[in-house]
Amino acid sequence: MTDEQFSKARHQMVRDQLAAITDQRVIRAMQAVPRHRFVPANVRELAYNDRALPIGFDQTISQPYVVAFMTAHLQTKPSDRILEIGTGSGYQAAVLAQLVAHVYTIEINSPLAERARETVESLGLTNISVRNGDGYQG
């Protein structure tokens, strides 16, 4: 798929899957973050489907509605700093980064942490700090 096709799929995802989400800040964040950049190439064309997708290492990226629902229920403020335990692909952190001052995220799996760091950096998201480590104690 082309960037334009992914963009259209993202708009359709927001319109069709997130109708129950009323927080317009969350809707704009979901619209802004290219979910397809956070999934492996072999499932990229499914990125905007209403489902979780495998990201490797027996982990998944949550379905878009779940990400939007969790994000809306946080009721974030622009000045907030968030600690996320379990970075995974980095998608949730990228959505949160649209809404808060800074996201600190920790991932125990080294390859996932590195891939997430590379993805958020490639998108120019400078208000996310990705750390590889055990987040058991924060």
Side-chain angles (χ1 to χ4, degrees):
M1 290 178 73
T2 66
D3 285 341
E4 183 178 331
Q5 290 170 315
F6 280 125
S7 179
K8 285 180 182 179
R10 189 166 56 253
H11 285 283
Q12 184 174 347
M13 172 201 73
V14 169
R15 184 186 69 235
D16 297 347
Q17 298 172 36
L18 307 183
I21 304 298
T22 59
D23 185 329
Q24 290 304 302
R25 291 180 66 235
V26 173
I27 294 296
R28 285 191 299 274
M30 295 292 290
Q31 187 62 57
V33 178
R35 187 172 188 253
H36 66 278
R37 297 282 300 273
F38 293 88
V39 298
N42 65 320
V43 294
R44 197 157 285 150
E45 291 195 11
L46 304 173
Y48 297 103
N49 289 4
D50 188 25
R51 60 183 279 197
L53 295 170
I55 58 170
F57 308 95
D58 295 322
Q59 301 298 310
T60 60
I61 183 175
S62 297
Q63 74 187 79
Y65 180 79
V66 171
V67 172
F69 181 83
M70 291 187 304
T71 303
H73 279 75
L74 286 173
Q75 299 179 350
T76 61
K77 297 184 297 288
S79 60
D80 287 345
R81 294 178 301 148
I82 297 213
L83 173 62
E84 176 190 44
I85 308 297
T87 309
S89 68
Y91 180 64
Q92 177 73 71
V95 170
L96 289 168
Q98 307 300 307
L99 303 170
V100 302
H102 203 90
V103 178
Y104 299 90
T105 182
I106 187 166
E107 172 59 51
I108 197 168
N109 181 288
S110 297
L112 281 179
E114 185 55 35
R115 188 183 320 154
R117 180 181 296 108
E118 290 171 1
T119 302
V120 299
E121 286 176 1
S122 74
L123 293 171
L125 299 172
T126 58
N127 65 332
I128 300 175
S129 299
V130 179
R131 180 174 176 196
N132 174 229
D134 184 346
Y136 181 75
Q137 295 182 13

